[in-house]
Amino acid sequence: EEKEKKNYKSPIDILIPLGMGSRYNNIEIRMALRSIEKYLYGYRKVIVISPKIPDFLVESSKLQLIQKKEDRCPAQSRVQRKIEWALRNLDVTSEFAYWNDDFLVLQPFDVRETRNYISGKIALSDKETSGWQETKRRTGQILNNNNKSLYMY
């Protein structure tokens, strides 16, 4: 019965931040998008944000392509900044899925059932100073500033 209720949730968007390209001619994003199209459901649209959109990608009602200049910052922050930019400047559903170009879907799956990397509240401040902790802290700030939930379940 609980699973039936979840299936009535609104579709969510999928955000895929990309870099400048790959040494494999971007086959990763091609395969990721093919697997999404074939097996994934429960999504409204896929948003790809990259400084260089691969030539073979064509925008459609289910695929939004955003070319955005890469920010000058550490690599771990570039992804975060693309997501932050999308939340501030694009029509993104209040719940969304963060996706990588190396995520493949191998069987039918509802994206709204995707589990989060973090279970519990994303802290707004941490005593640890690792790159991961700083990214986690900044992510909490971004979500909070954009009125998004800080609780991941």
Side-chain angles (χ1 to χ4, degrees):
E1 184 178 333
E2 181 65 28
K3 189 168 181 121
E4 286 179 24
K5 288 181 185 176
K6 287 185 179 182
N7 287 336
Y8 291 110
K9 287 171 57 176
S10 296
I12 65 172
D13 290 334
I14 301 170
L15 295 179
I16 306 178
L18 291 179
M20 289 296 292
S22 80
R23 62 181 149 203
Y24 305 109
N25 295 319
N26 293 303
I27 194 170
E28 305 93 335
I29 189 64
R30 184 186 303 261
M31 298 306 291
L33 291 172
R34 282 183 181 170
S35 74
I36 288 170
E37 182 180 40
K38 184 169 183 172
Y39 292 120
L40 205 63
Y41 58 95
Y43 71 96
R44 183 177 74 150
K45 65 182 171 183
V46 176
I47 304 168
V48 175
I49 303 170
S50 176
K52 185 175 182 340
I53 300 294
D55 293 337
F56 58 82
L57 292 182
V58 177
E59 199 162 69
S60 71
S61 62
K62 288 287 203 176
L63 179 63
Q64 184 176 0
L65 304 172
I66 304 293
Q67 189 163 340
K68 181 189 175 310
K69 184 179 175 185
E70 198 78 88
D71 290 338
R72 292 183 154 256
C73 58
Q76 73 218 32
S77 296
R78 289 185 198 136
V79 168
Q80 177 187 7
R81 288 187 181 188
K82 287 175 187 153
I83 292 171
E84 179 180 7
W85 182 89
L87 294 175
R88 288 185 178 164
N89 296 287
L90 302 175
D91 175 28
V92 178
T93 53
S94 60
E95 289 185 36
F96 63 91
Y98 160 66
W99 209 264
N100 281 320
D101 61 352
D102 55 358
F103 290 0
L104 298 177
V105 187
L106 302 176
Q107 62 187 25
F109 182 74
D110 187 338
V111 69
R112 296 166 294 188
E113 301 295 323
T114 304
R115 296 190 180 254
N116 294 296
Y117 290 126
I118 298 170
S119 180
K121 190 172 182 178
I122 296 176
L124 291 177
S125 63
D126 284 305
K127 293 179 182 176
E128 294 183 51
T129 58
S130 70
W132 167 248
Q133 290 298 330
E134 175 61 17
T135 300
K136 183 178 163 191
R137 184 190 65 74
R138 289 185 59 213
T139 299
Q141 286 177 334
I142 291 165
L143 291 170
N144 192 47
N145 292 344
N146 287 281
N147 299 317
K148 304 292 183 189
S149 173
L150 295 178
Y151 192 79
M152 304 291 138
Y153 21 159

